Amino acid sequence: MGKKIGWAVVIIIVVVLIVILSGSKNQEGATDKSPITIGFVGPLNGDLANLGLNAKSAVEIAVDEVNGAGGINGRPLQVIYEDGKCNGADASQAGNKLINVDHVPVILGGACSGETLAIAPIAEQTKTTMLSYCSSAPKVTEAGDYIFRDYPSDTYQGSYGAKFVKEQLGKTKVAILNVKTDWGDGIAGVFKKSFTEMGGTIVAEESFEQTSHDLRAQLAKIKAAKPELVYFLSYTDASIPGLKQAADMKLNVPMLGGDAWDDPKIWADVGTIGEGAMYTVVSAAHGDTLGAKLKAKTGSEEVIACTPGAYDGIYILADIMKKVGTDSTAIKNALYQTNYKGGVSSDEIKFDINGDVVGANYVVKVVKAGMAAPME
Amino acid sequence: MALVLQLVVAALITGAQYSFLAMAFSLQYSVLKFFNLSLAPVFMSGAYIFIAVTRFLKMPALIGFCAGIIGAALLGWLLHICIYEPLRKRGSSNMTLLVGAIGAMTALQAFTIIGFGSEYQSLQPATSQWHVFEFGSITITSVQIVTIAVSILIFLSLMLISRKTLFGKATRAIADDEEVAKIMGLNTNKHLNKVVLLSSALAGLGGILVGLDLGMSPGYGLTSIILAITAALIGGMGITSGAFLGAFFLSFAETAGVGFLGGEWKAIIGFSMLILFLIFKPQGILKQ
Amino acid sequence: MSYLINLASIFAIYAILAISMNSITGYTGLVTLAHAAFYGIGAYTTALLLIHGGVNFFVAMLAGIFLAGVVALLIGSVMSKFRGDYYILGSIGFLYIINSIMKNWDSVTGGPLGVAGITRPALFGVSFAENLPFLLLCLTLLILVYWLAKWIVSTPFGRVLKAIREDEEAIAVFGYRTKHFKLLIFMIGCGMAALAGGLFAGYIRYIDPSTFTIVDSVFMLACIIVGGLANVRGAILGTAILVMIIEFSRLIGLPADVAAQLREVIYGVLLIVMMFWRPQGLIGEYKL
């Protein structure tokens, strides 16, 4: 019995200490020239690092430009970068740190929908604004009052793809091969619905786990169904062996992919097999200007899918903070009223009542000689 | 009909790919008597050494091949003399060895990610495409044919070695009863080292061949060893020829599942096989 | 300071997991790597009932514990037929199956996207939405679990368990149905893991299948092997050490990804080192 009391006492003392120490945290004294800090969450390591790092570079460029032009009413803009690793648990920790330790009023992020959806509840509870530059899952629409995105929802990509295949390519029989993730399942579902509504037929529907590299059985079934085109939704990891296996099997039909195919690594690896492959990707209205700036900074002019949204995100937030300051609720209210013109990702950025960006500009890119370029 | 044939071919390829690690595992298990999960990184090391040699050192594929096999053999052997041999000398229980293997596997897999990144890597750049052979509407690549051929060759060789050579007889003696073998004058430690070298080389070879066909990523090791153990279990734990057959049993079951149900069922089928055999036929389908 | 609160909460949740795994492994000698699955069952049940059922958090958590107990009964009965190393294999198999269900049963579990928007618990008007009250909740539950674990050991039930661990055949001779005892403690241990899962869901407020994998089970195993098997305080000690390793690796400023892999290397090496140096753990009573 004594031992149990002893333990209880120890714990009470520890807790009391914590309460005392946390109460004495000094409030931030706002001086006129102190930096305004916001948070950034994206996958800086792992599978989708190319996405996160490209966005981070663009954000750094935007921040430099904003600060070069006088910052936010004289105060420099600063970004704390946290690695969301494109998964919920890590993103949740990252968000926690940014919100509770760094006390940022707004987070530019996450990239992956899993990241955004993980941080969203914390952001809502603490009234922290979030502007995702890349999350496309339909679920983000209902993530909360403080949650915004300047990247279109997947619902658009699937229907855009269906329209392209049916109307521009004139194909009526399509096989779907998708990776089993929210991204793959989400877009495939919308594509199927749109395509069949337009009168097309889905002759085969196959899927695979994200870690699979062996798609032979699925491809064999698809080949037997004789499709006119394969809607192949997959990330880099499975696309490389998948495309090679399809070629090995002489499945010589056109391939249409999703925005995950906007990774040069795929086309460099598969070589001639990739010739003619197409994919839908959010089009940046003025991506090339950003590309030039990225080249100056990193040596590569590559602009990956989410990067324009991240770049524009900084400008949108900076503009808002110049007008309303750093109170998160004020920023949120201002976002609903935003009409940002001249962005890199789009000529006009507005948000609807759910915080989703209005409208979506997609383009179909086609791979020629290992390089992807918008279709003429 | 063509679909079924293509699926059969796919199952044959996958079965051959599973068989290398299954046979390597079974061979080791027959004499060491514990589940050496650290064969997973040994398997992967074949592929990664190949990548390092052909891509970073820019040497021809053949050298990469040899380097991969030798490297894997060395890795497996090092793990044995540093971890398992000393632990066995102390009379450690199987669980202790297994926990040690889990530790080695975890550490080595993380090491691989630090060195090579966690992303997927191809072993062959697209520019050197291998040949695709067509038989009617059935297709198969040269690497896949080689994989199947080599796996059958290894199977036959191991059977021959086991029956006809002194090495094989010594191995079976130790597998039956290590103490008795020692008493009979066999230098069991030395022999075990040789078996470890051989089985690790086999695992590494498997890694290269699978890597050439499917590419490699660090997470692949664990999945592969579990499937290999399942195959070994199906065929009869410790019976190397059983492991070979078990590998094909497993691959056909998986392919049938994907064929009739869908791609997302592949993993469940594999693990269900594991559980089912553990419950109903832990001695495998071959008579002991 | 809120950073420390965060750390302490995560520590408490991991400690509950360690104690729960220790209850099984330390007292039956069976290593179960399926533990992450029960952690997950607790998390998912709590989260889903909370969001879709509008049920009170604590009721949802109890439901999670109950469901975990039922699943543990089913899986445990099957696994109780396996001996030592096959048990581990079977547990890995079940873990994969349950994880697959989490990933594929989209309509219920949300699939790979998981469950978001989990609200913090509230009881009789007291809200645990702030991190500090939640930490107190975690610590309270940790103390409860600790007392429960200690109490179990001190009962006749616990003594029989120890006897089973030392010599199962001997005690079976006395008419004890050893299988039932092992099954019961397995259910209790898995139920505790589900409790931790519910807490975790309430804390992070987002769960997806990637938290409940073999890597997480290995982490729990490392905690109890380092701290000491069959000693409840050992489980807490081991957890504290491993959590310190996590924090240390975060602070030394390596890129986050490398730090994470380095941690895995450390866990792996720790397991190996412990097998050599002190297989019973720092303050444990039982060697594997």
Side-chain angles (χ1 to χ4, degrees):
Chain A
M1 192 58 202
K3 241 198 208 156
K4 291 181 184 174
I5 296 184
W7 269 107
V9 167
V10 166
I11 291 178
I12 292 177
I13 292 180
V14 168
V15 167
V16 165
L17 273 175
I18 291 177
V19 171
I20 294 178
L21 288 172
S22 60
S24 66
K25 179 157 173 55
N26 55 329
Q27 296 304 313
E28 223 179 84
T31 68
D32 273 344
K33 294 292 179 234
S34 69
I36 292 186
T37 320
I38 66 172
F40 171 94
V41 176
L44 304 176
N45 280 290
D47 242 14
L48 289 146
N50 63 315
L51 207 84
L53 291 168
N54 197 255
K56 178 169 180 250
S57 302
V59 166
E60 287 168 344
I61 295 175
V63 169
D64 285 342
E65 290 173 354
V66 164
N67 288 336
I72 301 182
N73 298 332
R75 297 172 65 183
L77 176 62
Q78 222 178 54
V79 178
I80 301 183
Y81 300 92
E82 289 293 330
D83 187 2
K85 294 205 183 82
C86 194
N87 85 66
D90 286 294
S92 183
Q93 300 284 71
N96 254 309
K97 175 186 176 276
L98 286 169
I99 294 175
N100 294 317
V101 178
D102 303 313
H103 300 286
V104 298
V106 61
I107 295 179
L108 182 61
C112 302
S113 303
E115 295 176 330
T116 307
L117 289 170
I119 307 178
I122 315 169
E124 278 293 301
Q125 193 214 50
T126 56
K127 296 200 185 358
T128 309
T129 307
M130 279 180 76
L131 175 57
S132 167
Y133 52 94
C134 209
S135 295
S136 59
K139 269 192 193 176
V140 175
T141 307
E142 290 124 45
D145 189 32
Y146 281 79
I147 318 300
F148 298 81
R149 56 170 155 190
D150 65 0
Y151 190 87
S153 162
D154 276 335
T155 39
Y156 293 115
Q157 197 176 166
S159 46
Y160 181 87
K163 195 156 177 240
F164 171 75
V165 171
K166 186 77 176 41
E167 290 172 13
Q168 271 195 264
L169 294 180
K171 310 280 183 201
T172 50
K173 294 198 272 192
V174 168
I176 299 180
L177 177 59
N178 71 283
V179 63
K180 277 209 81 64
T181 61
D182 50 308
W183 177 85
D185 287 338
I187 302 181
V190 175
F191 179 92
K192 180 177 173 189
K193 185 158 173 285
S194 306
F195 196 68
T196 42
E197 270 169 14
M198 287 187 225
T201 328
I202 307 290
V203 297
E205 264 180 274
E206 296 295 326
S207 63
F208 54 93
E209 297 250 324
Q210 194 177 354
T211 48
S212 298
H213 301 154
D214 182 352
L215 307 180
R216 276 189 288 265
Q218 289 92 326
L219 287 167
K221 284 166 85 179
I222 288 178
K223 186 177 169 191
K226 299 203 191 340
E228 292 170 329
L229 174 140
V230 176
Y231 194 36
F232 186 8
L233 292 165
S234 144
Y235 303 121
T236 306
D237 268 26
S239 299
I240 299 177
L243 286 166
K244 287 182 184 169
Q245 284 157 17
D248 288 344
M249 291 193 146
K250 308 278 187 222
L251 180 58
N252 296 326
V253 295
M255 297 267 175
L256 176 66
D259 54 269
W261 275 9
D262 202 30
D263 180 2
K265 182 177 170 197
I266 302 177
W267 313 112
D269 197 309
V270 301
T272 48
I273 291 176
E275 192 72 16
M278 301 167 283
Y279 59 92
T280 53
V281 73
V282 170
S283 80
H286 305 282
D288 24 348
T289 49
L290 189 53
K293 293 180 189 175
L294 277 170
K295 183 157 181 137
K297 184 177 166 81
T298 65
S300 156
E301 65 198 347
E302 214 195 312
V303 178
I304 305 184
C306 325
T307 302
Y311 181 85
D312 286 341
I314 291 289
Y315 272 96
I316 295 174
L317 292 172
D319 278 358
I320 288 179
M321 288 194 281
K322 281 183 202 162
K323 288 187 216 136
V324 305
T326 58
D327 174 59
S328 183
T329 307
I331 296 176
K332 169 200 64 133
N333 291 329
L335 269 169
Y336 282 114
Q337 310 298 324
T338 295
N339 190 331
Y340 180 72
K341 296 216 169 49
V344 171
S345 62
S346 176
D347 284 321
E348 193 181 16
I349 298 181
K350 288 197 293 196
F351 301 98
D352 65 17
I353 64 165
N354 291 314
D356 277 357
V357 69
V358 173
N361 308 320
Y362 286 104
V363 81
V364 174
K365 282 196 185 172
V366 86
V367 178
K368 286 196 166 61
M371 299 284 292
M375 210 167 193
E376 300 311 318
Chain B
M1 190 53 200
L3 171 60
V4 172
L5 276 174
Q6 186 73 61
L7 286 177
V8 166
V9 170
L12 283 172
I13 299 169
T14 311
Q17 289 173 336
Y18 289 160
S19 72
F20 292 97
L21 192 51
M23 287 192 282
F25 172 83
S26 203
L27 188 55
Q28 272 205 12
Y29 184 81
S30 69
V31 289
L32 292 174
K33 309 278 189 226
F34 80 99
F35 290 160
N36 187 356
L37 293 179
S38 61
L39 269 175
V42 169
F43 171 78
M44 290 199 292
S45 69
Y48 279 108
I49 293 177
F50 183 92
I51 293 177
V53 165
T54 56
R55 206 188 297 165
F56 304 146
L57 298 180
K58 303 254 194 279
M59 296 203 192
L62 194 57
I63 302 207
F65 214 84
C66 298
I69 297 179
I70 296 176
L74 274 173
L75 178 60
W77 177 72
L78 271 171
L79 285 171
H80 180 74
I81 56 172
C82 294
I83 305 177
Y84 309 122
E85 199 179 71
L87 281 178
R88 288 179 91 236
K89 277 205 180 104
R90 297 179 189 200
S92 295
S93 68
N94 262 3
M95 296 290 259
T96 310
L97 291 169
L98 185 38
V99 170
I102 294 176
M105 176 184 75
T106 310
L108 282 170
Q109 179 159 314
F111 222 70
T112 309
I113 297 182
I114 294 180
F116 288 88
S118 58
E119 295 125 23
Y120 165 91
Q121 311 254 12
S122 294
L123 264 65
Q124 274 205 1
T127 43
S128 59
Q129 265 306 303
W130 44 78
H131 296 299
V132 180
F133 297 94
E134 267 187 278
F135 304 100
S137 62
I138 311 300
T139 60
I140 189 167
T141 70
S142 52
V143 168
Q144 290 163 353
I145 294 182
V146 166
T147 305
I148 296 179
V150 171
S151 123
I152 297 178
L153 204 67
I154 303 261
F155 165 64
L156 292 171
S157 311
L158 285 179
M159 295 270 278
L160 241 116
I161 292 177
S162 172
R163 300 275 158 81
K164 305 282 187 198
T165 67
L166 212 58
F167 181 86
K169 294 207 177 102
T171 309
R172 273 184 290 137
I174 300 180
D176 271 342
D177 194 326
E178 193 173 341
E179 284 305 313
V180 170
K182 247 187 241 174
I183 296 174
M184 302 291 274
L186 195 55
N187 185 340
T188 53
N189 276 331
K190 202 154 156 233
H191 191 79
L192 282 174
N193 280 345
K194 288 189 202 159
V195 172
V196 166
L197 268 171
L198 176 63
S199 49
S200 304
L202 181 55
L205 170 65
I208 300 177
L209 286 172
V210 171
L212 281 171
D213 183 51
L214 294 175
M216 186 57 71
S217 69
Y220 221 49
L222 180 60
T223 323
S224 303
I225 189 76
I226 300 287
L227 289 170
I229 297 180
T230 308
L233 180 67
I234 292 175
M237 206 49 103
I239 308 176
T240 311
S241 52
F244 179 79
L245 293 171
F248 286 96
F249 188 95
L250 183 59
S251 72
F252 271 86
E254 277 184 349
T255 310
V258 174
F260 293 120
L261 295 172
E264 63 266 31
W265 288 93
K266 188 163 177 211
I268 292 202
I269 289 177
F271 291 106
S272 304
M273 291 264 113
L274 174 63
I275 306 282
L276 284 171
F277 270 84
L278 278 175
I279 302 176
F280 295 115
K281 263 203 165 306
Q283 72 275 23
I285 50 182
L286 286 187
K287 295 255 186 289
Q288 293 259 2
Chain C
M1 207 29 71
S2 47
Y3 184 68
L4 275 179
I5 295 181
N6 179 42
L7 186 60
S9 306
I10 296 282
F11 164 76
I13 295 177
Y14 286 161
I16 295 178
L17 282 170
I19 294 179
S20 70
M21 194 189 239
N22 184 45
S23 306
I24 302 173
T25 306
Y27 296 105
T28 63
L30 293 167
V31 175
T32 158
L33 285 178
H35 228 55
F38 295 97
Y39 182 38
I41 290 178
Y44 269 94
T45 311
T46 309
L48 291 170
L49 281 177
L50 200 58
I51 295 182
H52 298 302
V55 168
N56 178 279
F57 178 86
F58 294 96
V59 175
M61 199 157 74
L62 281 171
I65 297 176
F66 180 73
L67 182 59
V70 170
V71 176
L73 175 62
L74 294 169
I75 292 183
S77 324
V78 171
M79 295 221 290
S80 62
K81 301 191 168 88
F82 310 151
R83 67 151 213 268
D85 22 7
Y86 285 99
Y87 191 89
I88 299 189
L89 215 53
S91 70
I92 296 180
F94 278 115
L95 172 59
Y96 266 77
I97 291 179
I98 293 186
N99 191 273
S100 275
I101 294 178
M102 288 176 189
K103 275 200 272 205
N104 292 323
W105 202 8
D106 258 48
S107 49
V108 171
T109 65
L113 203 48
V115 181
I118 305 170
T119 50
R120 282 284 173 84
L123 189 64
F124 308 130
V126 177
S127 158
F128 294 95
E130 293 299 313
N131 284 342
L132 187 54
F134 195 84
L135 170 61
L136 290 176
L137 175 64
C138 290
L139 289 174
T140 310
L141 288 172
L142 172 59
I143 297 177
L144 244 105
V145 168
Y146 173 81
W147 279 340
L148 178 64
K150 282 217 117 167
W151 174 76
I152 289 177
V153 171
S154 66
T155 59
F157 173 71
R159 285 198 287 275
V160 173
L161 281 177
K162 272 198 206 162
I164 293 178
R165 184 187 73 202
E166 297 306 324
D167 192 337
E168 182 164 355
E169 281 173 24
I171 194 155
V173 166
F174 281 92
Y176 282 99
R177 296 268 199 80
T178 55
K179 275 213 183 110
H180 293 183
F181 281 83
K182 288 199 280 192
L183 188 54
L184 188 54
I185 192 65
F186 183 71
M187 286 167 65
I188 295 175
C190 293
M192 289 182 194
L195 176 95
L199 267 181
F200 179 78
Y203 183 61
I204 304 274
R205 286 176 282 198
Y206 170 85
I207 54 171
D208 69 1
S210 71
T211 313
F212 310 111
T213 67
I214 194 167
V215 170
D216 307 277
S217 286
V218 170
F219 175 79
M220 298 177 213
L221 182 65
C223 288
I224 63 175
I225 293 229
V226 166
L229 289 171
N231 185 310
V232 188
R233 265 172 299 165
I236 299 185
L237 176 62
T239 312
I241 294 176
L242 288 216
V243 168
M244 281 203 293
I245 292 179
I246 296 180
E247 288 317 305
F248 181 69
S249 72
R250 267 207 241 275
L251 293 170
I252 54 178
L254 281 177
D257 195 41
V258 176
Q261 297 312 317
L262 207 60
R263 281 203 296 273
E264 295 295 320
V265 174
I266 294 178
Y267 299 156
V269 170
L270 262 179
L271 282 176
I272 298 175
V273 164
M274 292 308 289
M275 291 300 105
F276 269 99
W277 175 56
R278 258 185 102 81
Q280 70 271 35
L282 283 171
I283 57 175
E285 298 162 10
Y286 172 66
K287 273 198 313 202
L288 277 177

